[in-house]
Amino acid sequence: GETSAFLLIIVGFLMLKYVVIKREAAISMILTVPVVVFLVPDTPEIVGHAPWVSDPFLYLIGGPSLLMAFFFLTSPSATPNTKIGGLLFGVGVGILSVLGKMYTTIAGVEMYSILIMNFLVPVLDYRKGVFQFKQEKAAVQGNNYSVTSFYATNTTKPIIDIVGINVPSFEAYDELPKFTEFRKILSENQDKATLLQKITASELRCGCGGAFMPVGKKWELAIANTPKYLVVNGCEGEPFTFKDYFLMKNYPHLLLEGIAISAWILDIKEVYIVINSAYDVCYDKINRAIDDFNKTFKDIKISFHVQYVPDLYILGEETALLNYLEGIRGEPRLKPPYPPEKGLFGQPTVINNVETLSWIALLLNKPDLFKEGQIKLITLLDDVASIQEVRLGTTIENIIKDKNITAIEIGGVSGGFLPADYFHTRYENKELSKLGLNIGSASIRTFTKQSEVLEAVANSVKFLQQASCGRCVPCRVGTQALDQFVNKQLITDIDKKALEWISEVSHTMQQTSTCGLGKTAPTALLSYLKYFEGNKE
Ligand code: SF4
């Protein structure tokens, strides 16, 4: 190569075998280049004068082809996500680079072939778009389907039967005529600033989407930028979380009222409601509620777009969701700018979770609701699945009650594990963060045996490795490394050296990953080692 073909081949082999990279484009380019060199006729138009130019093997090892294949075509962000797209990308680079080299005298012309193919990535990934359309159809028909992420195929999460329901605040809403509060706001022409003040001052201090950003703060930032879109996040890609599903299925009018009130206060005319495509029943319910809303409020002009999104965990990250809605890869964006400044289609955008918007409607209907502290919906999974209203600050033992439970997972796959000794802890972020945990997706899963906990830890690590979008190195490599560690090593018998290694990998992921997935991915393993194996470091 331009440096040493021998060393490049060794490094390339090691990368393809051991490093977390995309392989398809590199391999197809290496195979394409000699074929094209062989096929191009030896005519006077060929202006590449080096003697090796027409020998396929010497061309491959003598020029920059290997360097390009191993160090450019393995890029996780500049090459297609789909396998077929990757193969076509490599073929395209192979053809263009050889033809450029042979028929032009432009210095470094091979690099232009990569740039040209970079432009074509959305087209090469278009297959994904077609596939997505099929998913939407399949979901409407209630069929299963699968989607492909950077690493693996994620199947649709199974919808668990929700057996227990304890949501008195929501049941009270059923007694009211639909859209009562919004009707009142319109008939009294209530002042928007006063309504905003009510929400900001309420105990709904935090949103309910997992990031716990204060609602008022988010809205104030958006209002300063004149927001154009409201995105209602009903992705809920967490495998064991169903609170948004429950709300969309059972209280679609309440959600619609929360959306309408928010759009009214924020002066927004366009609303995107995104629904996990596993939730086909919610799709119909929401559309019916929109019809009712439009019939009731003929003079209110809000455009509602109801859209399915694939059951991918990463789409719960709000900027990844915005990218997906714009028709590009569902990968998180670098922040700032934040969505209230520059969001959907480059416009200031407010993104709120389904639960947050539902609480807004309830709060304005019943201002005393949060007087004694914020209430939150959680998914509790013990013998059966249930949706529970929980006042933040109550103890964990008050929530789970069953005395036979010896451990819990708290906060979903990016959360952690706690043994019964810690069940006196208050269920609120302030207290949980002292233990290295948080409320996260607001699910609590219970266990009675340590072996079940160990299995759940391994599953969480594996899930996040597959869910990583692969864009940034600490998360892409770190999730893979933790997964390999958990699968190869008995984490019940861990030595000091291995502990130091885990600590270093985890610290790097927490400090340098782009989004919450990479930052929280080590939590399950770290909490297990700390609270179940007694490794306090
Ligand atoms: S942290 Fe992981 S999921 Fe987030 S952007 Fe980086 S690679 Fe993607």
Side-chain angles (χ1 to χ4, degrees):
E2 296 199 328
T3 49
S4 161
F6 178 65
L7 288 176
L8 280 172
I9 289 169
I10 293 177
V11 171
F13 173 77
L14 293 174
M15 282 177 69
L16 292 176
K17 178 139 180 64
Y18 295 110
V19 183
V20 187
I21 51 167
K22 290 182 179 174
R23 296 170 169 78
E24 292 78 16
I27 292 172
S28 67
M29 182 195 164
I30 290 170
L31 295 176
T32 302
V33 165
V35 174
V36 181
V37 174
F38 175 74
L39 291 176
V40 171
D42 196 4
T43 62
E45 283 77 32
I46 293 183
V47 288
H49 295 296
W52 43 264
V53 151
S54 54
D55 181 305
F57 179 69
L58 286 180
Y59 185 101
L60 183 65
I61 62 165
S65 303
L66 293 177
L67 199 67
M68 287 163 60
F70 295 137
F71 293 102
F72 289 86
L73 270 69
T74 49
S75 159
S77 14
T79 56
N81 260 355
T82 55
K83 283 191 173 20
I84 289 185
L87 290 171
L88 293 174
F89 187 93
V91 171
V93 172
I95 294 172
L96 291 176
S97 65
V98 173
L99 296 183
K101 183 75 186 171
M102 293 202 166
Y103 293 107
T104 75
T105 53
I106 301 168
V109 66
E110 292 92 339
M111 299 311 290
Y112 292 103
S113 64
I114 297 182
L115 284 177
I116 291 168
M117 292 310 291
N118 284 155
F119 283 121
L120 293 178
V121 165
V123 181
L124 297 174
D125 267 346
Y126 181 66
R127 176 182 160 272
K128 202 173 172 186
V130 174
F131 191 38
Q132 171 196 329
F133 174 72
K134 282 186 187 156
Q135 287 162 23
E136 290 171 8
K137 284 244 170 212
V140 172
Q141 290 153 8
N143 297 331
N144 275 341
Y145 60 88
S146 65
V147 288
T148 306
S149 72
F150 176 75
Y151 286 109
T153 298
N154 295 10
T155 48
T156 311
K157 76 177 184 185
I159 307 292
I160 298 176
D161 272 347
I162 296 169
V163 175
I165 295 171
N166 174 22
V167 292
S169 306
F170 290 85
E171 279 155 16
Y173 180 82
D174 280 339
E175 293 154 19
L176 300 168
K178 304 278 179 269
F179 310 122
T180 301
E181 189 58 30
F182 189 58
R183 240 187 273 262
K184 200 164 122 206
I185 288 172
L186 292 183
S187 65
E188 294 172 4
N189 196 17
Q190 290 183 18
D191 179 40
K192 294 179 182 184
T194 313
L195 285 168
L196 175 64
Q197 168 65 19
K198 267 192 201 171
I199 290 168
T200 310
S202 79
E203 290 292 329
L204 186 65
R205 278 181 297 241
C206 303
C208 306
F212 293 94
M213 168 96 171
V215 180
K217 201 172 150 200
K218 198 185 243 188
W219 283 19
E220 277 166 10
L221 182 59
I223 287 170
N225 292 290
T226 319
K228 185 161 168 49
Y229 300 112
L230 171 63
V231 175
V232 182
N233 189 346
C235 294
E236 205 166 54
E238 276 273 352
F240 301 109
T241 301
F242 293 95
K243 64 183 180 61
D244 295 342
Y245 166 75
F246 170 80
L247 285 173
M248 288 189 282
K249 184 178 169 203
N250 296 294
Y251 295 95
H253 290 85
L254 173 68
L255 173 61
L256 243 279
E257 186 166 9
I259 293 170
I261 292 171
S262 308
W264 167 261
I265 296 172
L266 296 164
D267 230 347
I268 288 177
K269 300 277 179 289
E270 216 159 329
V271 176
Y272 283 79
I273 305 174
V274 288
I275 302 176
N276 187 318
S277 46
Y279 296 171
D280 47 316
V281 60
C282 302
Y283 185 88
D284 296 338
K285 297 257 182 165
I286 295 285
N287 274 310
R288 262 180 255 145
I290 290 173
D291 286 346
D292 290 345
F293 179 88
N294 287 336
K295 277 182 207 146
T296 314
F297 303 102
K298 291 200 173 71
D299 295 335
I300 298 291
K301 300 284 174 235
I302 300 178
S303 300
F304 294 101
H305 310 268
V306 185
Q307 187 164 340
Y308 274 132
V309 293
D311 180 33
L312 286 175
Y313 182 82
I314 191 61
L315 294 184
E317 204 283 340
E318 55 185 25
T319 57
L321 177 61
L322 294 180
N323 275 351
Y324 183 85
L325 290 176
E326 289 181 12
I328 52 181
R329 274 186 205 171
E331 291 176 356
R333 299 175 183 174
L334 290 177
K335 289 176 264 184
Y338 294 94
E341 300 157 313
K342 190 176 176 198
L344 190 60
F345 304 117
Q347 301 297 320
T349 302
V350 176
I351 307 174
N352 278 130
N353 168 261
V354 163
E355 187 190 348
T356 308
L357 292 163
S358 304
W359 279 120
I360 284 172
L362 273 187
L363 257 183
L364 293 176
N365 270 298
K366 292 183 175 292
D368 289 347
L369 206 58
F370 281 11
K371 226 171 189 169
E372 288 163 34
Q374 185 172 346
I375 310 171
K376 176 100 190 65
L377 287 190
I378 66 160
T379 313
L380 178 62
L381 289 130
D382 41 26
D383 288 349
V384 294
S386 63
I387 301 292
Q388 307 271 348
E389 255 185 54
V390 164
R391 198 168 288 280
L392 296 187
T394 190
T395 59
I396 293 170
E397 57 206 350
N398 264 344
I399 299 172
I400 54 177
K401 295 190 180 80
D402 184 347
K403 299 287 175 237
N404 296 319
I405 304 299
T406 56
I408 55 166
E409 177 201 64
I410 197 159
V413 284
S414 59
F417 294 81
L418 273 183
D421 301 350
Y422 290 85
F423 287 180
H424 59 273
T425 308
R426 287 207 297 276
Y427 186 71
E428 59 185 3
N429 275 332
K430 202 168 114 207
E431 290 301 308
L432 290 171
S433 63
K434 291 178 191 163
L435 303 175
L437 306 173
N438 63 57
I439 291 175
S441 70
S443 73
I444 296 182
R445 213 153 44 115
T446 64
F447 304 92
T448 50
K449 293 189 203 122
Q450 186 155 340
S451 58
E452 292 169 353
V453 178
L454 196 51
E455 194 185 337
V457 172
N459 287 341
S460 290
V461 172
K462 168 66 81 190
F463 180 90
L464 291 172
Q465 183 259 322
Q466 293 189 345
S468 164
C469 78
R471 179 188 151 159
C472 57
V473 175
C475 172
R476 186 173 76 245
V477 177
T479 51
Q480 179 95 343
L482 293 183
D483 180 49
Q484 282 169 356
F485 175 83
V486 170
N487 279 305
K488 277 191 193 144
Q489 181 133 2
L490 276 177
I491 56 178
T492 47
D493 185 23
I494 200 164
D495 61 18
K496 191 162 183 284
K497 205 167 149 216
L499 262 184
E500 280 171 7
W501 179 84
I502 291 174
S503 166
E504 195 183 328
V505 170
S506 303
H507 184 73
T508 308
M509 291 170 73
Q510 289 162 337
Q511 297 301 314
T512 58
S513 293
T514 300
C515 81
L517 189 151
K519 288 180 197 298
T520 56
T523 309
L525 180 58
L526 292 179
S527 64
Y528 179 81
L529 292 173
K530 185 170 178 181
Y531 299 114
F532 293 84
E533 296 296 332
N535 298 297
K536 299 289 178 199
E537 292 305 308

